Amino acid sequence: MSQQNQNILIIESEEGLRATLSSALSQRYKIYEASTAESAKKLLEEHDFHLIISEMFLSSEGVELLKWIKAKKSCPVIVMNTFSQIIETQKAHDLGTDDFISKPFSITEMLVKVSKVLKDDPESPNEIQSGSDRDFCRVPIEDYISEKELGHNIFIKLGENRYVKVLHRGGKIDPERVRSYKEKGVTYLYIRQEDYRQILGFTVKVAKLAADDIAGLITEEKKKHFLKFTGEMVVQNAFVVGVDKESLNSAKEFLESCMSVLVDDYDSFSLLQMLSDHTDFLYAHSLGVSAFSVMIGKQLGWRSPKTLFKLAFGGLFHDIGKKEISQTIIEKQRSLLTHDERKELETHVTRGKQILESMRNAPSEAIRIAYEHHEDLTGHGYPGRLRRRGIHPLTLVVSVANAFCEHTIRSHPSDTPVSGPEAILLMEQFGRAGLDVTAFKALKTLIKNQN
Ligand SMILES: [Fe+2]
């Protein structure tokens, strides 16, 4: 069928947009216009259409119209949506909308979309992404309470492997709108993985640099394993501890997003595997320190995803040097270690530093964290007997999280972990002088706020 014989109905109350669309599309298609649901219904009863392009239906009358169209007509429907209509977008999708186009859009974008839906050009990109869930990253909606200009597109998830763009790169987010969405139960927004990596300042190079057989070692199954166990383990650890639930969920979500980026990087993935293969205790401890470092950082008011990522990364790999220490030493009670064994154990900080230095992407702060996390503000730590001024601020946070997790997370079979408040008491009695006061206070607030 020639394009001029294809009927398109445009339903749009805003006259200017309706006229622009009509004029652009009339060069290829036969166009009908409606400004209300009522006038649209009348046209739909009188004519057959190959496509309907409609503004988002906000009123119940509009929803009824969409239901009516889907019940009586077989033609596809494209809905024009905006960031202020996330909930309506989901509803329209559930009612059978075939495609969306996010306002504002260019006429070219609309022409591409129409061609795609009418199958004139099956290769053109589609707004409802059919790519894998692995292409997108989940970000808690409250992370968008900022009026900054967006450096990336924002999507919502409509179903498995189905995403729709709701805000363009360069757009602005109204903080009030974000708050109202949160109240209505919209918890996450989605962005593309590569955009998230850029936000975190972490460039994944493996796919391009490594040979296919090396890249192939990171199988989807292995990735899923880490993503699944990260969340479960963090919650399990915190369950023993008893921590403020909101802070915990927020740290867990952040960590899961970071992990979805890390598993794509060959170096990070290999280290994660080494951690989990060494002992379950080391992996649990590392995840715990990572999660608590992020929680403390957030409690301190740190909001930059880059800073929080460095904390999460540093927490996760602070003890990576232990992979080179024998399990017998690691699992032995500290008080029973011989002098030589203790010295051997202490080398994990220099070994950790070297391992992270050999990675292409490890943030420099994470290398400092691995090297300095056993330093002590009183100058009695190792390896450098540094005092406050020599220790990186992010290390100060990870050291508090590390001390806390040593009490609360089982580090060898005969260990009996204690509750959060008990761990705080132990830290008050035996280690407070060596820890950063502000970070320790933030940790105490997290434990005090538990429900
Ligand atoms: Fe350590």
Side-chain angles (χ1 to χ4, degrees):
M1 185 184 298
S2 84
Q3 290 179 340
Q4 278 296 349
N5 291 331
Q6 290 183 303
N7 295 344
I8 295 181
L9 172 60
I10 298 171
I11 312 171
E12 170 60 56
S13 54
E14 208 261 292
E15 199 182 341
L17 176 59
R18 198 173 67 241
T20 308
L21 280 177
S22 178
S23 143
L25 290 166
S26 62
Q27 293 167 26
R28 293 191 193 175
Y29 308 97
K30 187 161 186 202
I31 303 300
Y32 294 77
E33 294 178 35
S35 58
T36 62
E38 195 188 342
S39 57
K41 212 165 173 176
K42 199 160 175 290
L43 284 169
L44 283 158
E45 274 168 342
E46 290 166 1
H47 305 273
D48 280 331
F49 288 97
H50 299 90
L51 174 67
I52 298 167
I53 301 170
S54 175
E55 69 176 299
M56 179 60 75
F57 303 100
L58 289 173
S59 63
S60 57
E61 191 191 10
V63 173
E64 284 312 309
L65 175 66
L66 187 53
K67 276 188 195 164
W68 185 87
I69 292 171
K70 281 296 164 187
K72 297 201 168 189
K73 303 278 175 181
S74 58
C75 71
V77 179
I78 297 175
V79 165
M80 299 175 277
N81 65 324
T82 69
F83 184 69
S84 60
Q85 297 165 328
I86 287 182
I87 290 163
E88 290 82 3
T89 301
Q90 181 69 57
K91 201 181 280 178
H93 172 260
D94 296 344
L95 284 170
T97 295
D98 300 84
D99 211 340
F100 293 88
I101 186 164
S102 174
K103 286 181 181 173
F105 49 80
S106 68
I107 290 302
T108 312
E109 281 176 279
M110 179 56 97
L111 288 171
V112 167
K113 176 78 56 186
V114 170
S115 292
K116 171 80 180 173
V117 173
L118 289 175
K119 304 275 191 294
D120 294 342
D121 178 9
E123 294 307 314
S124 60
N126 197 342
E127 196 81 16
I128 298 187
Q129 305 291 331
S130 53
S132 150
D133 281 342
R134 293 272 302 116
D135 296 335
F136 290 88
C137 201
R138 202 173 68 169
V139 179
I141 194 163
E142 64 260 31
D143 286 0
Y144 283 97
I145 300 186
S146 127
E147 291 184 73
K148 272 196 292 184
E149 203 173 84
L150 280 177
H152 52 83
N153 296 322
I154 292 188
F155 299 79
I156 58 168
K157 184 173 181 172
L158 297 173
E160 198 177 337
N161 296 323
R162 284 172 81 79
Y163 297 82
V164 62
K165 195 198 293 176
V166 288
L167 199 61
H168 295 283
R169 190 183 301 270
K172 279 191 177 173
I173 289 191
D174 172 14
E176 278 312 309
R177 177 72 62 185
V178 169
R179 282 190 197 97
S180 87
Y181 278 152
K182 215 187 155 200
E183 279 163 22
K184 287 175 185 164
V186 178
T187 325
Y188 303 106
L189 296 172
Y190 291 79
I191 62 180
R192 289 195 164 278
Q193 281 274 354
E194 60 262 31
D195 288 332
Y196 194 60
R197 285 180 203 133
Q198 214 160 29
I199 291 171
L200 298 180
F202 189 77
T203 319
V204 173
K205 294 174 184 160
V206 61
K208 291 165 187 76
L209 291 180
D212 283 351
D213 55 335
I214 296 178
L217 290 174
I218 310 178
T219 63
E220 283 304 313
E221 202 183 326
K222 284 179 185 172
K223 285 180 190 175
K224 273 186 196 153
H225 166 86
F226 278 110
L227 296 175
K228 182 168 179 281
F229 282 100
T230 299
E232 285 178 4
M233 230 169 201
V234 169
V235 171
Q236 195 184 323
N237 287 343
F239 179 72
V240 179
V241 171
V243 70
D244 166 39
K245 276 184 198 143
E246 205 173 316
S247 305
L248 170 68
N249 282 335
S250 154
K252 176 175 163 269
E253 286 155 4
F254 183 76
L255 222 58
E256 282 173 338
S257 306
C258 291
M259 197 63 96
S260 70
V261 165
L262 289 178
V263 294
D264 275 340
D265 176 66
Y266 180 69
D267 288 348
S268 315
F269 186 79
S270 306
L271 291 188
L272 282 171
Q273 264 194 320
M274 281 175 201
L275 275 182
S276 68
D277 287 350
H278 193 271
T279 59
D280 282 351
F281 301 120
L282 183 56
Y283 191 50
H285 173 77
S286 302
L287 275 175
V289 173
S290 188
F292 274 95
S293 299
V294 170
M295 278 189 259
I296 294 170
K298 286 195 167 191
Q299 187 66 36
L300 290 171
W302 299 351
R303 291 285 172 269
S304 151
K306 258 187 199 166
T307 307
L308 294 172
F309 176 69
K310 286 167 184 171
L311 266 183
F313 192 106
L316 197 55
F317 295 122
H318 74 286
D319 262 349
I320 189 66
K322 283 188 177 169
K323 83 176 185 61
E324 293 179 355
I325 312 282
S326 82
Q327 289 195 18
T328 326
I329 292 182
I330 285 177
E331 293 185 0
K332 199 168 173 181
Q333 273 188 20
R334 299 291 146 83
S335 56
L336 301 178
L337 288 174
T338 66
H339 177 267
D340 286 349
E341 285 172 334
R342 183 178 293 277
K343 285 288 157 205
E344 171 77 6
L345 181 62
E346 288 182 1
T347 62
H348 80 276
V349 295
T350 35
R351 290 170 194 263
K353 176 176 177 273
Q354 284 160 5
I355 292 167
L356 294 183
E357 276 173 345
S358 71
M359 282 180 76
R360 280 165 299 189
N361 291 330
S364 60
E365 294 85 346
I367 299 173
R368 296 269 310 259
I369 289 167
Y371 190 61
E372 297 169 357
H373 72 275
H374 285 289
E375 296 291 356
D376 184 308
L377 294 190
T378 59
H380 291 98
Y382 65 87
R385 293 181 170 268
L386 302 173
R387 288 179 183 271
R388 167 182 281 281
R389 262 187 289 171
I391 306 173
H392 194 281
L394 296 191
T395 308
L396 297 176
V397 168
V398 174
S399 294
V400 169
N402 186 36
F404 182 71
C405 290
E406 273 176 6
H407 292 302
T408 53
I409 297 171
R410 183 175 291 180
S411 58
H412 53 81
S414 58
D415 244 5
T416 315
V418 301
S419 71
E422 284 173 297
I424 297 286
L425 274 180
L426 288 169
M427 289 165 80
E428 294 265 19
Q429 285 166 9
F430 302 111
R432 190 173 58 171
L435 298 171
D436 178 70
V437 178
T438 320
F440 186 41
K441 210 167 148 191
L443 172 70
K444 285 199 282 188
T445 310
L446 287 168
I447 303 304
K448 216 187 288 170
N449 283 349
Q450 65 174 296
N451 297 312

